[in-house]
Structures are given as C-alpha cells and as structure tokens.
Amino acid sequence: MEVGFLGLGIMGKAMAMNLLKNGFKVTVWNRTLAKCEELVEFGATIGDTPAAVVKKCKITVAILSDPSAALSVVFDKDGVLEQIGSGKGYIDMSTVDDDTSSKIHKAVTTKGGSFLEAPVSGSKKPAEDGQLVILAAGDEALYEEAIPAFDVLGKKSFFLGHVGNGAKMKLVVNMIMGSMMNAFSEGLVLAERSGLNPHALLDVLDLGGIANPMFRLKGPTMIQNNYSPAFPLKHQQKDMRLALALGDENAVSMPVAAAANEVVYSYLNAFKKARSMELGDLDFSAVHEIVKIHKSSS
Ligand SMILES: NC(=O)C1=CN([C@@H]2O[C@H](COP(=O)(O)OP(=O)(O)OC[C@H]3O[C@@H](n4cnc5c(N)ncnc54)[C@H](OP(=O)(O)O)[C@@H]3O)[C@@H](O)[C@H]2O)C=CC1
Ligand SMILES: O=CCCC(=O)O
C-alpha cells in the first residue's frame, strides 16, 4: 500500500518511519524539506509539494502543528486541493478544532475526494512504538481502507461518526491532560517545599487511585528539570485554547481548564506564561518551571 505523508515533526517522523518499517511505500513531504532525508534512508520517496504527494498516492496522511498549518497545506499554492479528487483520500491526524476540520472536509469532498480526521492520543514514544490511540471520524469507507495503516500506527482505532467528533474528542482529552499536568506540577512543588521527598510522592501516587502513565513518565524528568520535548508546550497551549473555545460554543463553563490556560490568578496562567518565556518548544511538563517560579516569588 502506498501512502503519502505530510509533516515530519516529532509525531510525523515516528509515524512515517513505522509505516516504512512495516512494509508500506511512503512518499513524504515536509515544509522544511531537509527533514525528509532521514526517511529516505529507510526507503521513503520525497514529494516536492503536498500536491505532488497527493498526485502520486491514493491515500495521503498529514500531521501538522495547528489549524493554520493544517489549512495552509490544503489550501495554499501547491497544496492538497490541487490534486485531490475522485478515488483519493485525505486523512488529517493533526490536533485541530472541528471548524478547521470541517473546512478541509468540505473542500476535499467538493473536489470529489474523501476525508477522514484522525487525531491521535499518545505522544512521541507511543508513536515510535505504534501504540497510538486513533480518534477517527468522517468517511467510513476511507476509515476501513486505512485500517492496515492505523493498525501499524496505533494500538486501538475508534470511528466516532461525522467529521468534528474526532477533533472534539481529542480536545476534551487534552483539556483534561493539561489541567492534570498543572495540578501534578503544583503537587510536586508543594511536596518539595513542605519538606517531602518528591520521589516518595511519585511512589505514593503510583500505588493509589490516581496512578497514571503520565505521572509515571513525566514525574521523574520533571524532578530533574528535564523537559526534552515529546509533546511541545506550545501545542498543549493550543489545545487548551481550542478546548476552551469548544466550551464557549457549548456553554460549558470550565474554570479549571481556564485557570490552566488564562491569566486568572497569578500562576494559573501557566501555559500562556510559559510560551511568552519561549519555553514553548520544550515538553509541556515545562509548565513545572512556571509553577516553581511563582511559588518562589509569592
Ligand atoms: N507531540 C505529541 O506528543 C503529540 C502531538 N499531537 C499533535 O500532532 C501535531 C504535530 O505535533 P508534533 O509532531 O509534536 O509537532 P512538531 O512541532 O514537532 O511538528 C509540526 C509539523 O508541522 C509542520 N508545520 C508547521 N507549520 C507549518 C506550515 N505553516 N506549513 C506546513 N507545515 C507546517 C512542521 O514543519 P517544519 O518541520 O517545517 O517546521 C512539522 O512538520 C500537532 O497538532 C500536535 O498537537 C498529537 C498527539 C501527540
Ligand atoms: O496531544 C498530545 C497528547 C500527548 C499524550 O497523549 O501523551
């Protein structure tokens, strides 16, 4: 099966590599073309533009940073729309809002192509290990056609119905995750400043009812101030912003999520503040630095 792949960031590189290692023919494109070279060593072919990739492949997958990138790759010159058409499928796995996804869906289907949104839960390591959770919605026939690829990329795929449901599910999950990360960071700082061993806190948490893989994975590195990026903070902040907009649209008040994202009370604007300090490219657990700074200055 030949698959086109647009976007070779942290996630895209790992996912395209997995497809190659599992026998798929993959044609890749990335805005910074140099990032394609490593995949060529594993058998990938390079497409010069998104349009060139779509022209060559029956199914093209994209995973790009945000709504603006997702729209640009489809609508701009040399973009997906120039070559999409009958018999071709486009699968956008970026985390975006349902409005962005719907715009892409409409444009692709107007040209006769089929569209699936398929954002993923899971980060760099699950992407490398083919252990993502795929949240697909849109064209069910395209979903069925993509299952061999999804089986390589993920441990479980959900088909959630019409376009928008995948985007919304992903934003709800990441809104919860972002709020949890802030609470976790505050807990680590509180433990340390009140004279407890933060490693002991991790052990206690891991044995109780709120044990979870995120605390287990990120806790030890946060204690070491190591924020090597798996999920960049700037993307987490984007997801909090989009989830809060979804809350507004549905008249759902989310004070905890809003506090994690917005300037409400001092340190509760952790995600935005972290971006302005150019921590945005670090892992989202770098929110810990902001919580620590605030706790020392207050
Ligand atoms: N990292 C993670 O743990 C997870 C991320 N996600 C989501 O997946 C998506 C990708 O994340 P990730 O791989 O971490 O992000 P990265 O920042 O590592 O990569 C972003 C990708 O988008 C491309 N890009 C950005 N702007 C544009 C543009 N205007 N036109 C064309 N291409 C553009 C980048 O190209 P270039 O190389 O040229 O900059 C790069 O290929 C995001 O939506 C994120 O929220 C979902 C689950 C987990
Ligand atoms: O969108 C990013 C999700 C990161 C994760 O699920 O660990």
Side-chain angles (χ1 to χ4, degrees), residues 168-201:
K168 288 188 270 191
M169 182 67 83
K170 175 63 185 163
L171 291 179
V172 171
V173 171
N174 274 26
M175 182 273 285
I176 297 170
M177 189 178 73
S179 301
M180 276 173 65
M181 177 53 86
N182 266 356
F184 182 46
S185 177
E186 289 181 12
L188 283 171
V189 173
L190 179 61
E192 206 164 359
R193 300 277 164 87
S194 61
L196 297 171
N197 180 341
H199 293 282
L201 171 66

Side-chain angles (χ1 to χ4, degrees), residues 95 120-123 170 174 177 231 239 284:
T95 304
V120 295
S121 197
S123 193
K170 175 63 185 163
N174 274 26
M177 189 178 73
F231 180 37
D239 296 348
F284 77 120

